[in-house]
């Protein structure tokens, strides 16, 4: 038995959470095409006959513009010191910029194996892949550079194979049926947040927070209350939509995910509340984060 802790880091929107979900073959982390989708470090524990790999998906590292951004960055950095191996994910279809160098600089002080995943190869040519491998090779002493598409299970299997070379522990840390550190409340509120991110435009900021307030298990169904907090009245209007169309759509799709998670019928109640300057209230965030995540 080989085991170890692996942190998945990188800039926003490169596919870190998609990677975790493909490896785990289930929806552990929510995904959107918008930056800063992930707000918490989320653990996904991969088990097979010969190994146990504890993955930690992290918020995208970026130049912070506000307190929430700073808090997200520090969550990602924190894991770097705490794990055995680091998987750095980059989007191969994007031009390398100061943001990538910013992340790689953070790795220079630590003495741990770093594997580079060049993700989204489905979007680029073979020549581009070769070119990028060379560029990154010159930039840092990566243990492995693996071009792949994290949407493909076959591709992530290749990553797992490489990772196993760098696992040094021989302890089984968790039971076979333990797959994540997050609870049901967390997943429910995240599923709702995912639908909001997917259905609304960029004018809806990422500081939207969803909180699972109540889960009532009934005889035939489970009733769930989720509170959506926004900063401004006009955002509340957007989320509710014309004649409640938007909130209805968010509700229907979230409910499907929640029913999948709980394996039974669900009645979902969504509430929207405006709390001005929500983004500045980091204390609030941490408090609610605590409620939802620990
Ligand atoms: N074409 C293509 N798209 C991908 C691939 N992997 C992820 N994506 C898309 O990239 C977008 C971002 O994916 P996420 O997994 O949410 O990215 P992330 O790195 O977790 O982003 P943050 O949580 O914001 O840091 C989504 O729209 C995904 O569907 C891939 O291999 N190919
Ligand atoms: Mg993510």
């Amino acid at each position: 038995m080989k085991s170890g802790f692996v942190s998945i880091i990188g800039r926003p929107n490169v596919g870190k959470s998609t990677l975790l979900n493909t490896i785990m073959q289930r929806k552990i982390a929510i995904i959107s095409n918008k930056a800063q989708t992930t707000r918490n470090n989320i653990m996904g524990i991969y088990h097979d006959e010969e190994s146990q790999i504890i993955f930690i998906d992290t918020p995208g590292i970026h130049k912070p513009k506000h307190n929430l951004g700073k808090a997200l960055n520090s969550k990602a950095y924190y894991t770097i010191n705490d794990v055995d191996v680091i998987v750095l994910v980059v989007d191969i279809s994007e031009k390398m910029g100061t943001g990538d160098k910013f992340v790689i600089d953070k790795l220079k002080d630590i003495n741990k194996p770093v594997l580079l995943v060049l993700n989204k190869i489905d979007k680029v040519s073979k020549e581009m892949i070769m070119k990028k491998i060379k560029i990154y090779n010159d930039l840092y002493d990566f243990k492995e550079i693996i071009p792949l598409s994290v949407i493909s299970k076959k591709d992530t299997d290749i990553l797992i194979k490489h990772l196993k070379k760098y696992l040094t522990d021989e302890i089984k840390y968790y039971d076979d049926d333990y797959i994540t550190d997050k609870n049901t409340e967390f997943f429910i509120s995240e599923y709702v947040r995912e639908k909001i991110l997917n259905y609304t435009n960029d004018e809806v900021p990422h500081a939207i927070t969803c909180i699972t307030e109540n889960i009532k298990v009934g005889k035939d169904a489970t009733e769930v209350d989720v509170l959506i907090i926004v900063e401004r009245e006009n955002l509340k209007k957007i989320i509710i939509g014309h004649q409640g169309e938007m909130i209805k759509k968010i509700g229907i799709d979230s409910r499907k995910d929640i029913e999948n998670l709980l394996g039974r019928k669900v009645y979902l109640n969504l509430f929207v509340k405006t709390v001005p300057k929500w983004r500045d209230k980091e204390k609030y965030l941490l408090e609610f984060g605590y409620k939802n995540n620990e």
Side-chain angles (χ1 to χ4, degrees):
M1 161 68 59
K2 285 265 182 256
S3 62
F5 287 76
V6 175
S7 160
I8 305 172
I9 66 160
R11 290 172 60 194
N13 219 29
V14 293
K16 300 179 293 299
S17 299
T18 311
L19 171 64
L20 182 72
N21 288 352
T22 307
I23 289 172
M24 297 301 298
Q25 291 287 287
R26 67 178 75 206
K27 191 166 180 164
I28 297 267
I30 62 164
I31 289 165
S32 88
N33 60 2
K34 302 196 172 73
Q36 293 163 45
T37 300
T38 303
R39 296 244 193 100
N40 308 80
N41 292 337
I42 304 172
M43 203 189 255
I45 300 147
Y46 168 89
H47 306 259
D48 67 21
E49 297 86 38
E50 51 181 29
S51 68
Q52 182 171 78
I53 313 176
I54 301 108
F55 288 97
I56 299 149
D57 179 23
T58 64
I61 298 172
H62 59 288
K63 267 211 176 122
K65 293 197 195 84
H66 43 66
N67 281 344
L68 174 66
K70 270 189 214 148
L72 295 184
N73 272 347
S74 66
K75 281 183 189 179
Y77 298 148
Y78 179 74
T79 70
I80 295 177
N81 300 311
D82 246 21
V83 295
D84 305 305
V85 185
I86 292 158
V87 170
L88 172 65
V89 183
V90 300
D91 181 340
I92 196 168
S93 68
E94 292 268 324
K95 241 191 169 156
M96 192 171 67
T98 48
D100 295 285
K101 295 200 179 110
F102 181 73
V103 176
I104 289 172
D105 271 348
K106 294 279 166 202
L107 297 173
K108 290 206 165 134
D109 307 328
I110 55 153
N111 191 19
K112 281 180 191 173
V114 181
L115 277 61
L116 177 69
V117 165
L118 298 174
N119 186 32
K120 309 195 190 183
I121 54 165
D122 53 300
K123 287 171 88 175
V124 299
S125 66
K126 282 220 169 70
E127 290 73 39
M128 177 62 91
I129 297 173
M130 298 315 290
K131 200 173 127 195
K132 287 283 169 95
I133 290 177
K134 193 178 172 323
I135 291 174
Y136 280 99
N137 205 15
D138 292 344
L139 214 61
Y140 186 85
D141 187 17
F142 295 107
K143 288 284 181 222
E144 315 271 346
I145 298 183
I146 312 156
L148 48 78
S149 168
V150 300
I151 296 172
S152 148
K153 168 83 168 58
K154 235 165 75 194
D155 281 14
T156 61
D157 284 347
I158 296 170
L159 172 65
I160 297 272
K161 218 163 140 189
H162 283 296
L163 268 172
K164 283 181 181 174
K165 294 187 246 170
Y166 303 96
L167 302 179
T168 50
D169 298 350
E170 291 184 355
I171 308 158
K172 192 170 178 178
Y173 285 99
Y174 297 98
D175 287 340
D176 288 339
D177 55 0
Y178 192 74
I179 53 157
T180 180
D181 60 332
K182 295 289 179 275
N183 58 20
T184 306
E185 281 85 351
F186 176 82
F187 288 116
I188 291 174
S189 52
E190 285 289 274
Y191 292 163
V192 174
R193 195 164 64 83
E194 180 183 63
K195 304 305 172 269
I196 298 173
L197 290 180
N198 284 334
Y199 290 147
T200 56
N201 297 325
D202 285 339
E203 78 258 36
V204 179
H206 283 61
I208 279 181
T209 299
C210 298
I211 299 164
T212 306
E213 292 208 307
N214 244 317
I215 301 178
K216 209 162 74 196
V217 183
K219 198 165 142 264
D220 305 312
T222 298
E223 191 171 345
V224 178
D225 296 343
V226 175
L227 174 65
I228 302 164
I229 297 179
V230 296
E231 284 185 321
R232 298 189 304 271
E233 240 359 75
N234 69 323
L235 293 175
K236 186 171 167 178
K237 275 196 196 126
I238 291 172
I239 288 179
I240 291 172
H242 181 61
Q243 295 186 334
E245 293 263 315
M246 180 61 91
I247 193 106
K248 195 171 159 200
K249 216 160 85 164
I250 292 166
I252 290 171
D253 270 21
S254 311
R255 197 194 56 209
K256 281 186 202 147
D257 276 358
I258 302 167
E259 285 183 339
N260 265 337
L261 178 77
L262 302 181
R264 67 196 312 250
K265 196 169 163 53
V266 165
Y267 293 116
L268 174 64
N269 305 310
L270 297 178
F271 305 92
V272 191
K273 189 176 160 186
T274 308
V275 180
K277 295 206 174 150
W278 174 257
R279 239 185 306 188
D280 298 334
K281 295 182 181 170
E282 209 176 304
K283 188 174 153 278
Y284 245 84
L285 264 181
L286 292 174
E287 261 174 37
F288 285 124
Y290 177 77
K291 185 180 165 193
N292 258 336
N293 308 328
E294 306 301 323

